[in-house]
Amino acid sequence: MATDLFTHTVQHTLDVVGIFVFAISGALAAVRRNYDVFGMAVLAEVTALGGGLFRDLVIGAVPPAAFTDFGYFSTPLVATALVFFLHPEVERINVAVNVFDAAGLGLFCVTGTVKAHTYGLGLTPSVALGLATAAGGGVLRDLLANEVPSLLRWDRDLYAVPALVGATTVALLIRFDALDGVSAGLAALVAFVLRLLALRFHWRAPRAWHRRSAAAEGE
Amino acid sequence: MATDLFTHTVQHTLDVVGIFVFAISGALAAVRRNYDVFGMAVLAEVTALGGGLFRDLVIGAVPPAAFTDFGYFSTPLVATALVFFLHPEVERINVAVNVFDAAGLGLFCVTGTVKAHTYGLGLTPSVALGLATAAGGGVLRDLLANEVPSLLRWDRDLYAVPALVGATTVALLIRFDALDGVSAGLAALVAFVLRLLALRFHWRAPRAWHRRSAAAEGE
Amino acid sequence: MATDLFTHTVQHTLDVVGIFVFAISGALAAVRRNYDVFGMAVLAEVTALGGGLFRDLVIGAVPPAAFTDFGYFSTPLVATALVFFLHPEVERINVAVNVFDAAGLGLFCVTGTVKAHTYGLGLTPSVALGLATAAGGGVLRDLLANEVPSLLRWDRDLYAVPALVGATTVALLIRFDALDGVSAGLAALVAFVLRLLALRFHWRAPRAWHRRSAAAEGE
């Protein structure tokens, strides 16, 4: 089913684009932390491929695509070289990076959910793995940078929710037998737009009730 | 063998109880760190299912039970909702949480050891995986909270030792062909009681010799 | 092919030596962080076996050798006991530890690359897994110690590059059908010597261009 969704070339191109933009975000995080070129390459690889690697280990798709597809593996190295030589310029187009990152998020939550379901998992765990595919690389990036994963912080714009909405949409499409290239693309688009709106309007997720009232008192 | 230990219903119920109490501890850790509701759900899932997930990946039981059993997966979400709305009340029953957590520790070190051995591992690595099942989720929780795992800190009451005693007891029972529902339950009970005693009397593990004498001089 | 490289006894002995010296480095890190004896054992196991465990999960060699070979598993416990009783003496021979660690690095980058290729991976991902085998345990050690992995820091002497050179040499030997016990040993020797030279002359990897000029201005 997954292979019928898009033509292989389209799918592969979209994957490589998603990997590239995630890798840029990883390499930039390494520069901000003052890592050397090796740290940049490691963070680029981990950010771009970590989520899919986790998904593949869980569903038993070994060796994972990250290690069998040369394009997947080498793309983060290209991103690293780009950031290494041009990082002030890349920083300046931070808005563009955020837009590409949102596109990667939308794409990966869809392909991750589809791949997990193709390997026989139920719809709910497939949604969880779609979310893990989209957001897992960023969590690993933050762990390696010795920071609290921005996914978990309340003072960051919504990141998991758009991916969750996209993955859930895919699960519903599978459930009602309506998944095809167009509807999958629309699900990715929904996640993409939601993430852009969250960035634009600083949407945030609620914290536990008590915390919020305590914060309100503090204001 | 594992399936004969307890009836499936009893086993499943005990697992869900263990998952629930570990999830409560994860969600509370997220509230203390001021994470949003998503961070709470992620930490609840990771704390409750992370140890078993690691074990299943190592023994090749893919997809892991965490992703195939809807009850396992959804229980941490229930725990998250509970903590989200009621966390001051949950904090107040911290003693109760510690008791439930000790029960989860006892149960998971037994079931983890049995499952690893069922998948063909030797007794020593099965004990190691029993320990990993019981304590691994807490380590992942602490990593995601950007803290030194409390498992490793000398100033925390014994946590690994009770699990290790329980897992070793199970290994000895397997070795002498004496493992059944009753003896497995007793092994879990031993780990449970040891953990409660460690909490009550603040038992701690020794540090390296030199450190201890240096600390003694400092007093 | 891997089994023909060295006789099994030689291979196993070299592996155990590598595991032992990595375990010493893990246990010493735990003592420096003031962990108890359990934290020492956990860090010793993780440092010594973590890289190979990751490789085995990725290539689908489950259960991983770390859990099926009693010698692999118990060696870190011996190292822990040694550091526990004698750690001031062990600290004093820090130079020796660095030399042994470099030997472990050289050996593991070779055996990791060979094992990955034996399991059917291409040459480039095999090199990546050789690097992960050699350096992965140290990264996990630093994560558990809540520190930025020293592998990623620009102010540490080169660690990844020697392993990468060793692994790449092995890949080239495989490519040109020239891998045997002698040439593999030479590849390990190259990585070993490069690491010693990096330590001796404080070789470091470059950071992104902008960072370096900013640092130069600051001087």
Side-chain angles (χ1 to χ4, degrees):
Chain A
M1 181 189 295
T3 48
D4 299 349
L5 254 189
F6 311 106
T7 68
H8 181 72
T9 316
V10 172
Q11 167 80 43
H12 197 265
T13 306
L14 292 176
D15 271 356
V16 167
V17 170
I19 286 168
F20 182 76
V21 293
F22 276 148
I24 293 277
S25 114
L28 282 176
V31 172
R32 285 188 199 119
R33 300 276 307 180
N34 210 11
Y35 292 173
D36 65 23
V37 64
F38 257 92
M40 292 168 64
V42 170
L43 247 64
E45 293 278 359
V46 163
T47 308
L49 303 173
L53 180 60
F54 174 75
R55 176 204 58 211
D56 288 351
L57 289 179
V58 164
I59 63 179
V62 289
F67 284 96
T68 54
D69 185 306
F70 184 73
Y72 289 179
F73 183 81
S74 55
T75 299
L77 302 180
V78 175
T80 301
L82 201 77
V83 171
F84 183 81
F85 290 112
L86 300 174
H87 88 93
E89 286 74 14
V90 177
E91 288 272 16
R92 228 167 279 141
I93 54 165
N94 205 16
V95 174
V97 170
N98 271 336
V99 172
F100 279 115
D101 181 84
L105 186 76
L107 185 71
F108 279 16
C109 73
V110 170
T111 56
T113 305
V114 171
K115 184 164 185 184
H117 188 257
T118 307
Y119 272 76
L121 270 71
L123 290 177
T124 312
S126 294
V127 167
L129 282 175
L131 176 59
T133 306
V139 170
L140 290 172
R141 176 198 63 209
D142 294 342
L143 282 182
L144 285 176
N146 203 19
E147 283 169 6
V148 173
S150 73
L151 181 75
L152 304 177
R153 297 178 57 158
W154 77 274
D155 56 351
R156 290 288 187 278
D157 302 326
L158 285 186
Y159 196 86
V161 172
L164 202 56
V165 170
T168 306
T169 306
V170 171
L172 290 174
L173 290 170
I174 295 175
R175 175 71 184 74
F176 293 107
D177 218 3
L179 187 73
D180 55 31
V182 175
S183 63
L186 283 176
L189 190 67
V190 165
F192 171 62
V193 170
L194 274 179
R195 170 62 182 156
L196 290 186
L197 290 173
L199 280 170
R200 175 72 186 75
F201 297 108
H202 299 299
W203 288 344
R204 281 165 192 177
R207 285 170 291 162
W209 277 25
H210 176 70
R211 285 278 166 183
R212 278 183 292 164
S213 51
E217 284 164 24
E219 281 167 4
Chain B
M1 180 190 295
T3 47
D4 298 349
L5 254 190
F6 310 105
T7 68
H8 181 72
T9 315
V10 172
Q11 168 78 44
H12 198 265
T13 306
L14 292 176
D15 271 356
V16 168
V17 170
I19 286 169
F20 182 76
V21 293
F22 275 150
I24 293 277
S25 115
L28 281 176
V31 172
R32 284 187 199 120
R33 301 276 308 181
N34 209 11
Y35 292 174
D36 64 23
V37 64
F38 257 90
M40 293 168 64
V42 169
L43 247 65
E45 293 278 358
V46 163
T47 309
L49 303 173
L53 180 61
F54 174 76
R55 176 204 59 212
D56 287 351
L57 289 179
V58 164
I59 63 180
V62 288
F67 283 97
T68 53
D69 186 306
F70 185 73
Y72 289 179
F73 183 81
S74 55
T75 299
L77 301 180
V78 175
T80 301
L82 201 77
V83 171
F84 183 81
F85 289 112
L86 300 173
H87 88 93
E89 285 74 16
V90 177
E91 287 273 16
R92 227 168 279 141
I93 54 165
N94 205 17
V95 174
V97 170
N98 271 335
V99 172
F100 280 115
D101 181 84
L105 186 76
L107 185 72
F108 279 16
C109 73
V110 170
T111 57
T113 306
V114 171
K115 183 163 185 183
H117 188 256
T118 308
Y119 272 76
L121 270 71
L123 289 177
T124 312
S126 294
V127 167
L129 283 175
L131 177 58
T133 306
V139 170
L140 290 172
R141 177 197 62 209
D142 293 343
L143 282 182
L144 285 176
N146 203 20
E147 283 169 6
V148 173
S150 73
L151 181 75
L152 303 177
R153 296 177 58 159
W154 77 274
D155 56 351
R156 290 288 187 278
D157 302 327
L158 285 186
Y159 196 86
V161 173
L164 202 56
V165 170
T168 307
T169 306
V170 170
L172 291 173
L173 289 170
I174 294 174
R175 175 73 185 74
F176 293 108
D177 218 2
L179 186 72
D180 54 32
V182 175
S183 63
L186 283 176
L189 190 67
V190 166
F192 171 62
V193 170
L194 274 179
R195 171 62 182 159
L196 290 185
L197 290 173
L199 280 170
R200 175 71 185 75
F201 297 108
H202 299 298
W203 287 345
R204 281 165 193 177
R207 285 170 291 161
W209 277 24
H210 177 69
R211 285 278 166 182
R212 277 183 293 164
S213 50
E217 283 164 24
E219 282 167 3
Chain C
M1 180 188 296
T3 48
D4 298 349
L5 254 190
F6 310 106
T7 67
H8 181 72
T9 315
V10 172
Q11 168 78 44
H12 197 264
T13 306
L14 292 176
D15 270 357
V16 167
V17 170
I19 286 168
F20 182 76
V21 292
F22 276 149
I24 293 278
S25 114
L28 281 175
V31 171
R32 286 187 199 121
R33 301 275 308 179
N34 210 11
Y35 292 174
D36 64 24
V37 64
F38 257 91
M40 293 169 63
V42 169
L43 246 66
E45 293 277 359
V46 163
T47 308
L49 302 173
L53 180 60
F54 174 75
R55 177 203 58 212
D56 287 351
L57 289 180
V58 164
I59 64 179
V62 288
F67 283 96
T68 54
D69 186 305
F70 185 72
Y72 289 179
F73 183 81
S74 56
T75 299
L77 302 180
V78 174
T80 300
L82 201 77
V83 171
F84 183 81
F85 290 112
L86 299 174
H87 88 94
E89 285 74 15
V90 177
E91 287 273 16
R92 227 168 280 141
I93 55 166
N94 206 16
V95 174
V97 170
N98 271 335
V99 172
F100 279 115
D101 181 85
L105 186 76
L107 184 71
F108 278 16
C109 73
V110 170
T111 57
T113 305
V114 171
K115 184 164 185 183
H117 188 257
T118 308
Y119 272 76
L121 269 72
L123 289 177
T124 312
S126 294
V127 168
L129 283 175
L131 176 59
T133 307
V139 170
L140 289 173
R141 175 199 62 211
D142 294 342
L143 282 183
L144 285 176
N146 202 19
E147 283 169 6
V148 173
S150 73
L151 180 74
L152 304 177
R153 297 177 57 158
W154 77 273
D155 56 351
R156 290 288 186 279
D157 303 326
L158 285 186
Y159 196 87
V161 173
L164 201 57
V165 170
T168 306
T169 307
V170 171
L172 290 173
L173 289 170
I174 293 174
R175 174 72 185 74
F176 294 108
D177 218 2
L179 186 73
D180 56 30
V182 175
S183 63
L186 283 176
L189 190 67
V190 165
F192 172 62
V193 170
L194 274 179
R195 170 62 181 157
L196 289 185
L197 290 173
L199 279 170
R200 176 71 187 75
F201 298 107
H202 299 299
W203 287 345
R204 281 164 193 178
R207 285 170 291 162
W209 277 25
H210 176 71
R211 285 279 166 181
R212 278 183 292 163
S213 51
E217 284 164 24
E219 280 169 4

